[in-house]
Amino acid sequence: MVQYLLEDSRVVDFVSHLQACKTVYAPHRKGTSSFAFAPVDDPTAVVLDYNRTLHSVKKYFLPPTETLLSFDLRTNEFTESEIVPCDAVFLGVHSYDLRAVHKLDHNFRQENPEKNYLRRREEAAFVGVSFEPDAFHFSGSVGIGSRDSSGFDVFLTRIAAGYILTAHTPVGQELVDGFVMPEYTGDLPVPPGFKQHIYVPQDKLSEVFEHSYRNDVWLETAEKCVGCGTCNLVCPTCYCFNVEDTVEITIDGGSRARTWDGCMLRSFTEVAGGEVFREESAARQRHRVYRKFKYISDRTGEPWCVGCGRCNQACTAGISIVSIVNRLVNDYDREVVETA
Amino acid sequence: MTNASRTPSAESRDLYLPVMAAITDIRKMTEFETLYEITLPGGAELGHQPGQFVEVSLFGMGEAPFSVSSSPTRKGSFEMGVRRVGMLTDVMDRMQLGEKIGVRGPFGNGVPVEKFKGKDVLIVAGGIGLVPMRSMINYVLDNRGDFDRLIICYGARSDGELLFTDELKMWADDPRVEFHVTVDHGSTAWTGHTGVITTLIPGLDLDMPQTRVLVCGPPVMYRFVLLALRSKGVAEENIYMSLERRMKCGVGKCGHCQINSSYVCQDGPVYHYPDLKGLQEAL
């Protein structure tokens, strides 16, 4: 595969080149220390050196609020909402976020393939960029390196002079066609290491979780958790949703929308009549972590956490999924392995 | 799992659009429960199995799961027994004949009727749990030759809360049905059995290897019924249970009905008891 050098001074031109092909979504500054994906208006506002965005690109394929249908209360009839595919380039996506998209692809394709998500998703092209792990990233522990280009159409690897650009698919080749760059023949510098790790081989995780259902960590975490659901909100692989109707002030009609929901909220399992099936916060802590490392993983053979570190960074109570998993691993080693 | 960027969606479907169906009969059963007959456009069959559920929606009020109460052997329409407990059911309570509701489904894993064929069928239904069980009861009655004994144990909190009272009388008078009913607290007019539903089980004359049991009731009921069945010597592999959860999407996506790793809308609501034993959150 040919490697090109995209010099820092030409990044803006490259963004403009992509814009000439398609709509481009890329990370932008949000406030003083945060980043968010947004449609590119001004190519100079795009930020490719960032730690993580507040939300992943999931928000474009599974929008926080998505109107499913509109209804007319006078006639009791409804109109289906149009699903508009994201025929766009997603520039500056980190490896863990694309891996999260692949996991959502699985969730929305299996058993009952869902038109809403899959239609939005099918035309999207991805231009990835490598990242420098900060104090929260741990994707290396779940098999996703900071320069992992798998699944990307085009990938940019950070070096001192700019980025090494490689096109990985015909779509990616088309995106870079006509943008002249020198070939890059130098070596790749050693990637920076991760600062956070889950200390367990992936094939042992299932066993660890088999043993951890009644671990004290769930109660201890529950004591700190305020139940805000932010960890669900920022997770790139969370896809649970609620469906609710809204009526316009004219009461002539309204709409039915699905909105993101979170298993950490008490109301999540509530049924008519008031029964709540996951009443204890500790049970909800466990459910979230088991969703990421056991329930789906047992069927797919891989963790459903991509190690982006968002839940840990966003948690006002400082709850870390890495600490929880490492605690479970330590307890498992002490209680099962050492006593065997 | 594929790493391909593009995901063909040709085979994907509209999962969330309802079919508008008419209310063609309304029968008030108690102060809180009403039986609705629903007819799909053109009298189309719902095509359900006993124990399955549908998502019902009223525009402006939202959508909620309801079990189908009629047997698939009764053609041309289907029935739902609805308890008035929330916003949606409050509005339903005021609806008139001919008005339309949105229906999606049927969803879920119903009663594996093949496993009950040629066997003694014992149905244990507590309270509103009779609503889905009535589908299986009438299925057995309409295919009477396919099954051996039909034993029904039904419990309600009081005689005023008994559902399907006309049918209860028919079952009590039907020589092909062994019908047992109890109420927790009987009125002065009540002359039948008094006590919780588990008090009916010790007195049953069961041919153990021949009996297949189907249980449905409020969450608190299951552990006591299971204990009573165990004392009676019923093998776990002969027990099936229908569970209630918040099935919001019905298609295994939204996450609300999950019991550990199992989606009730996909693997349930009717479970084989041995399959539930690994699910700590089930009872």
Side-chain angles (χ1 to χ4, degrees):
Chain A
M1 191 185 316
V2 186
Q3 301 188 128
Y4 296 98
L5 174 63
L6 175 64
E7 290 158 305
D8 277 332
S9 59
R10 297 207 61 211
V11 168
V12 172
D13 291 342
F14 180 63
V15 178
S16 302
H17 170 83
L18 292 177
Q19 274 186 299
C21 311
K22 284 185 175 203
T23 304
V24 180
Y25 294 87
H28 290 67
R29 285 206 169 273
K30 182 128 178 153
T32 52
S33 56
S34 300
F35 303 92
F37 273 93
V40 177
D41 180 26
D42 171 8
T44 65
V46 171
V47 185
L48 292 181
D49 286 317
Y50 69 101
N51 53 2
R52 66 180 59 67
T53 49
L54 293 168
H55 289 292
S56 74
V57 290
K58 173 185 86 175
K59 65 183 181 181
Y60 296 108
F61 313 128
L62 179 68
T65 300
E66 171 186 1
T67 303
L68 299 173
L69 56 88
S70 306
F71 50 80
D72 188 321
L73 287 171
R74 296 162 301 187
T75 60
N76 203 28
E77 287 169 348
F78 71 89
T79 315
E80 175 187 354
S81 294
E82 192 194 351
I83 300 166
V84 182
C86 292
D87 186 7
V89 178
F90 292 84
L91 167 67
V93 176
H94 287 170
S95 53
Y96 50 81
D97 274 349
L98 183 61
R99 196 67 70 86
V101 170
H102 291 152
K103 290 182 190 300
L104 294 177
D105 291 350
H106 171 86
N107 294 129
F108 284 103
R109 202 187 292 143
Q110 63 153 9
E111 307 219 0
N112 295 301
E114 193 209 89
K115 194 170 99 177
N116 308 52
Y117 173 90
L118 294 173
R119 273 267 172 90
R120 279 202 187 81
R121 157 80 177 90
E122 64 188 345
E123 300 294 336
F126 294 93
V127 178
V129 66
S130 62
F131 65 95
E132 184 160 347
D134 71 359
F136 296 104
H137 291 113
F138 61 100
S139 63
S141 302
V142 288
I144 308 166
S146 61
R147 292 176 181 172
D148 188 340
S149 61
S150 51
F152 282 104
D153 296 296
V154 176
F155 198 76
L156 307 173
T157 306
R158 190 74 172 121
I159 54 169
Y163 300 89
I164 302 167
L165 183 151
T166 43
H168 296 259
T169 64
V171 170
Q173 191 56 55
E174 231 172 90
L175 286 175
V176 296
D177 274 351
F179 189 75
V180 182
M181 290 168 285
E183 278 196 30
Y184 178 79
T185 50
D187 293 330
L188 262 180
V190 178
F194 283 88
K195 301 178 178 81
Q196 286 249 36
H197 302 272
I198 297 175
Y199 294 101
V200 65
Q202 282 183 44
D203 55 3
K204 198 174 142 193
L205 271 177
S206 177
E207 232 175 287
V208 170
F209 276 84
E210 199 66 56
H211 177 77
S212 303
Y213 200 77
R214 300 191 193 286
N215 195 290
D216 290 339
V217 77
W218 310 123
L219 274 169
E220 292 164 21
T221 310
E223 279 176 21
K224 288 189 273 183
C225 177
V226 296
C228 65
T230 301
C231 47
N232 292 139
L233 191 68
V234 297
C235 179
T237 67
C238 272
Y239 62 97
C240 290
F241 59 83
N242 197 9
V243 177
E244 282 181 319
D245 287 7
T246 316
V247 176
E248 291 159 13
I249 189 71
T250 58
I251 61 166
D252 288 339
S255 60
R256 176 165 299 164
R258 77 157 154 195
T259 52
W260 290 355
D261 204 346
C263 62
M264 295 301 288
L265 304 173
R266 183 184 174 275
S267 60
F268 189 73
T269 57
E270 188 175 6
V271 294
E275 182 91 29
V276 176
F277 288 97
R278 220 170 281 118
E279 178 72 68
E280 300 300 324
S281 169
R284 301 199 290 274
Q285 309 293 337
R286 177 174 55 212
H287 188 72
R288 177 173 82 95
V289 179
Y290 269 61
R291 283 270 300 192
K292 301 301 170 201
F293 290 100
K294 179 155 177 65
Y295 295 153
I296 307 178
S297 311
D298 278 356
R299 298 180 193 200
T300 60
E302 51 186 90
W304 231 240
C305 166
V306 293
C308 67
R310 285 187 179 92
C311 57
N312 188 359
Q313 188 180 33
C315 182
T316 51
I319 294 167
S320 156
I321 198 165
V322 173
S323 305
I324 291 172
V325 174
N326 283 336
R327 159 76 177 277
L328 299 178
V329 173
N330 285 337
D331 288 355
Y332 171 81
D333 283 343
R334 207 179 52 245
E335 291 160 21
V336 178
V337 180
E338 287 174 21
T339 56
Chain B
M1 205 173 80
T2 172
N3 278 335
S5 259
R6 268 136 291 278
T7 57
S9 64
E11 78 286 16
S12 67
R13 295 187 293 124
D14 273 316
L15 299 176
Y16 308 119
L17 300 180
V19 168
M20 301 308 290
I23 299 175
T24 43
D25 193 23
I26 300 173
R27 275 163 55 200
K28 193 96 180 144
M29 294 196 286
T30 69
E31 186 188 351
F32 293 101
E33 281 100 7
T34 305
L35 186 69
Y36 296 90
E37 181 191 81
I38 308 297
T39 304
L40 292 167
E45 295 303 329
L46 181 64
H48 67 291
Q49 285 279 306
Q52 282 192 302
F53 67 96
V54 288
E55 295 285 341
V56 167
S57 61
L58 303 180
F59 294 134
M61 304 313 297
E63 201 170 39
F66 294 92
S67 42
V68 180
S69 194
S70 52
S71 164
T73 49
R74 315 275 166 106
K75 303 290 184 189
S77 61
F78 69 96
E79 289 172 331
M80 307 183 306
V82 174
R83 173 176 284 177
R84 179 159 56 85
V85 283
M87 286 199 305
L88 187 110
T89 49
D90 259 348
V91 175
M92 255 186 104
D93 195 52
R94 296 195 294 272
M95 289 182 80
Q96 307 291 321
L97 278 181
E99 287 196 80
K100 286 186 175 169
I101 61 172
V103 174
R104 291 191 299 123
F107 295 124
N109 197 14
V111 180
V113 289
E114 294 301 320
K115 306 268 188 201
F116 286 76
K117 284 189 177 167
K119 306 294 180 190
D120 292 353
V121 180
L122 167 59
I123 288 176
V124 181
I128 201 164
L130 185 63
V131 169
M133 292 301 96
R134 173 176 173 264
S135 176
M136 180 62 177
I137 291 169
N138 284 327
Y139 184 87
V140 173
L141 288 173
D142 291 348
N143 297 282
R144 198 62 193 88
D146 292 347
F147 302 88
D148 212 328
R149 293 163 66 194
L150 173 60
I151 311 154
I152 301 168
C153 292
Y154 171 44
R157 274 184 300 200
S158 68
D159 37 330
E161 291 172 64
L162 290 169
L163 304 174
F164 305 105
T165 46
D166 293 348
E167 273 164 277
L168 301 185
K169 281 195 197 80
M170 279 168 51
W171 298 339
D173 295 340
D174 190 333
R176 305 172 305 161
V177 181
E178 298 163 53
F179 180 67
H180 308 274
V181 60
T182 183
V183 297
D184 298 353
H185 310 285
S187 70
T188 49
W190 178 250
T191 55
H193 191 283
T194 304
V196 294
I197 190 160
T198 43
T199 59
L200 292 177
I201 296 171
L204 296 175
D205 175 23
L206 300 179
D207 176 2
M208 227 49 79
Q210 178 67 6
T211 306
R212 299 290 176 274
V213 189
L214 190 56
V215 186
C216 187
V220 65
M221 189 190 91
Y222 291 93
R223 66 197 67 177
F224 297 108
V225 168
L226 286 171
L227 280 169
L229 291 172
R230 181 190 283 175
S231 307
K232 199 76 187 159
V234 178
E236 287 173 356
E237 70 256 27
N238 293 337
I239 301 174
Y240 296 81
M241 293 155 59
S242 179
L243 300 185
E244 179 197 15
R245 284 299 184 278
R246 181 174 168 188
M247 287 87 84
K248 189 77 192 178
C249 72
V251 290
K253 306 292 182 208
C254 82
H256 286 91
C257 68
Q258 211 176 354
I259 299 177
N260 299 112
S261 60
S262 177
Y263 279 84
V264 177
C265 73
Q266 302 293 292
D267 306 331
V270 179
Y271 284 90
H272 191 201
Y273 178 45
D275 295 337
L276 276 182
K277 287 193 78 184
L279 304 178
Q280 310 267 2
E281 293 178 332
L283 298 189

